[in-house]
Amino acid sequence: MLAALAAAALLSGAARADLTIGVSVPLTGPASGLGIPAKNAMALWPTTIGGEKVNLIILDDATDPTLGVKNARKLITEDKADVIVGSVATPVAVAMAGVATELQTVQLALSPIELPESGGVWTFRLAHSVEVMSIAMVAHMKTQGVKTVGFVGYSDAYGESWLRDFTRVAKESGISVVAAERYARADTSITGQALKLTSANPDAILIAASGSGSAMPHKALIERGYKGKVYQTHGAASRDLIRLGGKDVEGGFVTSGPVIVADKLPDSNPSKKIGIALNDAYEKAYGAGTRNQFAGHAWDAMLILQKAVPEALKKAKPGTPAFRAALKDAIENGGRIPVSQGVLNYTAKDHWGFTPDTGVVLKIVNGDWKLEPR
């Protein structure tokens, strides 16, 4: 009888175990314009996932890789996180991936980080790959008659991955990168780089930046008299670009996931209903026009967990290494899942998930986003 009662107590304890989700995003610093919307979306998450109460712990990494590592280690070792989410800042997410691998904990990265094969075993990306976004951008450039492109981007992993992947995809379509300039995330001016690019006079200029940092180089190019087309990456697909760029960014193009324009998608698009539901909830909470793709990435993290957690619970309970391993297996074997930003299909060999046709191109018109035709 006592044994039966003890077993029942263990079972009830397992059923009541919290699912601890640790988050590190920039709530201050250069990428705070991306981190704050992600945090806002998490405030809309359900309080339970898979029948388990969600214990959500959100820390500020201030766009600092060192602090991101500290946060990730604290979340896993001290707070016993079953999964970590973040960061939206690429250098920080890369640094966090090392901790995820070392401590064998799933990381749901909210930025398109590139990792060596051995270093990405526990990391799943919820942001689109640079290649996927480059495909959408190059297809649009072809419709605009673009033949030559200038590049200016961050002198870090985000900027370099865009220069490499975009150059390759563009070359395959007969588009050449004729000039390339770089700058640090903390720089407040790119006068020299802008002058060199405008002198090269390419048909279009691609800016590889993110959040509030994407407006400055765009304005600099316009102020230096550049008259060609300006493109921005999915890291810039936030209201900060429009708010800070003002009239100078009007007419600019930005590649993005589909959530920002969910209501403009065809009914056949599997992300349409999910995206509309998220945008309606988000704008009800935070105001009209506040929808953004970083909220979409954060929302999609929850959708992935809603599918994977029940499967992992069949093998182990939260708070244990066995559960973390089971969660990884469940994500890798979950099959296709529609989310607000496309359709994900993770496998053991593919932790990117999104299909090549996922990206869209937006145009800034009268301070708002307009969906460009494919």
Side-chain angles (χ1 to χ4, degrees), residues 2-14:
L2 288 175
L5 288 173
L10 286 172
L11 288 172
S12 63

Side-chain angles (χ1 to χ4, degrees), residues 38-52:
K39 175 179 178 289
N40 288 345
M42 292 175 194
L44 304 176
W45 282 8
T47 57
T48 63
I49 293 179
E52 306 294 331

Side-chain angles (χ1 to χ4, degrees), residues 122 157 161 211 239 253 267 329:
W122 289 84
S161 62
R239 301 299 296 190
F253 299 106
D267 291 342
D329 290 342

